[in-house]
Amino acid sequence: MEQTMTLKNKTILITAAGQGIGAASARACAAAGARVIATDLNGVLLAGLNDVDGIETHVLDVTDGAAITDLAAALPDLDGLFNCAGVVHHGSILDLDDAAWDFSVDLNITSMVRMCRAFVPGLLRRAESEGSASILNMASMASSEKGFVNRTAYGATKAAVIGLTKAIAADFVARNLRCNALCPGTVDTPALRGRIAAAPDPVQAERDFIARQPMGRLAVVDDMTPTVVHLLSDGSQFMTGQAVLVDGGCTI
Ligand code: NAD
């Protein structure tokens, strides 16, 4: 089978594609030749992708199991699924009430369980007919890879993403359906800008985020997108069950 970085003839669904890493990934996958189904909770943000060749948009809240089931029934079988949605809870265990914990679990990990349950049957059909299909789950360097201050709910749920990824990879390794996790360092996105703006001293908060990156800069979204395309493409056909760090050396 030909191994290539192209996504030609592949249909790829991305969650949380309205802005940040998800939006950049939708553009990069379309540029690599995929038909991209870009989904997000926020239809206004998604509208920014409406004019991009190869991208179609659907509003999807990944905490809504019925909406996920309906969308899976309405779409063709997928070749690739990028579960990108996630949320940062800022705080230690002492700041974490049940509601905040439950929300982090629901958005960061249960959403991926729902998406995979709904879309794996179609991914397996494509894996059987085309010889390859791929799931990519968004984890983080803040996970089982490394502990960070004030990231209790985030680190625990992103570690669970890595566990889920390895379990799915193990179940389907012999059926040509791969599953990997992406573990970014600190990426300059609207969500990160929101965390900086919400800090008591935003100037110092930005300095602190940069200081924890040994390269002395934040990642930009297109530091992530080549790896996203690679992991969804047939160029990574011998990779499965991996937590792939793109962290600018943070975990050296
Ligand atoms: P972002 O805020 O820039 O974009 C998040 C998007 O998620 C928004 O478009 C928002 O509308 C959408 N969204 C929120 N709730 C949703 C829901 N219930 N259903 C569907 N969409 C929903 O975020 P980002 O910084 O690009 O982060 C994207 C992912 O990358 C997250 O999983 C995050 O944890 C992970 N990540 C980010 C960084 C970073 O430094 N930015 C680092 C590591 C991992």
Side-chain angles (χ1 to χ4, degrees), residues 61-187:
D61 176 353
V62 293
T63 66
D64 182 344
I68 290 171
T69 308
D70 288 351
L71 187 64
L75 291 176
D77 291 344
L78 301 178
D79 301 281
L81 169 64
F82 180 18
N83 288 311
C84 185
V87 66
V88 174
H89 175 267
H90 179 92
S92 78
I93 191 85
L94 300 177
D95 308 306
L96 186 58
D97 61 22
D98 282 357
W101 171 250
D102 289 348
F103 183 64
S104 290
V105 169
D106 197 28
L107 187 47
N108 289 357
I109 182 71
T110 310
S111 71
M112 294 189 188
V113 172
R114 291 187 192 103
M115 290 294 295
C116 290
R117 199 166 48 211
F119 285 98
V120 159
L123 285 156
L124 283 171
R125 282 191 289 271
R126 291 293 287 173
E128 189 174 354
S129 64
E130 303 306 309
S132 172
S134 176
I135 299 169
L136 179 59
N137 292 327
M138 179 60 94
S140 172
M141 66 176 178
S143 60
S144 43
E145 300 300 313
K146 185 169 176 169
F148 285 87
V149 170
N150 285 322
R151 289 291 178 269
T152 300
Y154 190 72
T157 52
K158 291 297 191 182
V161 170
I162 294 172
L164 176 73
T165 298
K166 288 179 184 287
I168 290 173
D171 279 336
F172 302 114
V173 64
R175 297 178 66 186
N176 295 329
L177 172 57
R178 301 176 296 108
C179 185
N180 292 289
L182 178 64
C183 301
T186 314
V187 189

Side-chain angles (χ1 to χ4, degrees), residues 5-8 27-34 229:
M5 275 284 283
T6 183
L7 295 175
K8 215 169 154 217
R27 290 177 185 277
C29 289
V229 171

